[in-house]
Amino acid sequence: MTVYGFHASHEQVPPADLLGAAVHAESAGFAAAMCSDHFSPWSVRQGESGLAWSWLGAALQATDHIPFGVVNAPGQRYHPAIIAQAIGSLAAMYPGRFWAALGSGEASNEHITGARRPRKDVRNARLRECVDIIRALLKGEEVSHDGLVVVDRARLWTRPETVPPLVGAACSEATARWCAEGADGLITVNAPREKLRRIVDAQGAFGPKRVNVHDQAHDADSLLGRMRTLIERYRATPELAWGTYEVLDADDPGVLAHISSLPEGAVPAVHNFSDRAVTAATTVPGLKGGRLLTDVFTGSTVKSAAGGLVRTER
């Protein structure tokens, strides 16, 4: 479903004006909001640059239900442990209403520390370390890390019950593809439709194909959690499903597989949230090999193999 949101540009508009605009946006029917996180405006003419994190607390309190996000660059101007603390506090105060997009940063903002700006590949490596640190802290782990960033025995004492989404920020196909390896989603800027399509294709269909199985396996409200609940309900209440319903053993926590036996034949469904091809065993007789299907949840190819097996191929 398409959601129309409001973007608060701190580098262009005073924070008090943006606060009033966010309240008005919600009353006008906008269903989401997000903001930039700049130290400096793009130009002198823009002439503003309020602190995003101060504004986010005020905006979440001033509105009733719309979620807010922020685009942040941990690793140079911000230490990842401090960003984890900020994310954790806002998400704890406003459950389900906050997310953060993490990127490698712009030189116009990051130069203020006086540190040398690393190459793009080094910035990406540093960002990956930061994301892993932030995730671990939000899960309640004590973190010590020695790498491109250093953390010594950090722990968050105030955390949300559920880790909020940490999405990737990308303006190119290469960055989108890189983000897909560990992000919960993707944000980008407006561009010609064909370029946007290439960026979306490059990131690998985040929801279906690139799911954080470890996190979602313990979250009943996640896509993976809801699929498990659906399968369990079908198993416990066969009359909910068409035909005979059998859950298949795929030997992988990221794979949910089942098969329905109808008078017209057997219908396999394999929801493969992992990053590899899998085989799910079934005892349903007469399942012929060679037929290709497409799993509507993941876009994976499903092939019914001889010998009563269903295999998804990447």
Side-chain angles (χ1 to χ4, degrees), residues 88-250:
S89 295
L90 287 175
M93 290 190 292
Y94 305 98
R97 294 186 59 200
F98 183 70
W99 54 268
L102 304 176
S104 59
E106 299 284 347
S108 59
N109 296 311
E110 308 306 314
H111 78 90
I112 62 168
T113 65
R116 182 180 64 85
R117 182 168 170 80
R119 301 185 312 273
K120 177 63 174 175
D121 60 325
V122 178
R123 298 200 307 274
N124 281 352
R126 182 177 65 185
L127 175 60
R128 176 61 53 79
E129 291 183 16
C130 289
V131 172
D132 290 344
I133 290 165
I134 291 169
R135 281 195 189 278
L137 289 170
L138 288 170
K139 292 176 184 177
E141 300 175 17
E142 181 178 284
V143 176
S144 292
H145 180 82
D146 293 291
L148 294 170
V149 291
V150 177
V151 183
D152 179 44
R153 295 169 294 173
R155 176 184 172 188
L156 290 186
W157 297 90
T158 298
R159 296 183 295 109
E161 291 186 4
T162 303
V163 176
L166 302 179
V167 307
C171 296
S172 69
E173 296 171 55
T175 302
R177 190 175 298 109
W178 180 85
C179 285
E181 297 177 10
D184 298 323
L186 177 76
I187 65 166
T188 188
V189 296
N190 191 29
R193 177 174 296 184
E194 286 308 311
K195 180 178 180 181
L196 289 175
R197 187 178 300 279
R198 290 195 300 270
I199 290 174
V200 171
D201 290 343
Q203 53 81 36
F206 265 106
K209 188 174 179 182
R210 298 287 187 176
V211 168
N212 190 321
V213 174
H214 180 271
D215 284 350
Q216 291 211 14
H218 300 90
D219 182 2
D221 290 328
S222 67
L223 177 61
L224 190 57
R226 289 182 183 275
M227 285 299 302
R228 289 189 185 282
T229 300
L230 179 64
I231 284 182
E232 290 301 323
R233 287 178 180 172
Y234 278 3
R235 176 187 286 170
T237 315
E239 55 267 26
L240 289 176
W242 293 324
T244 302
Y245 193 91
E246 179 194 1
V247 177
L248 309 182
D249 180 15

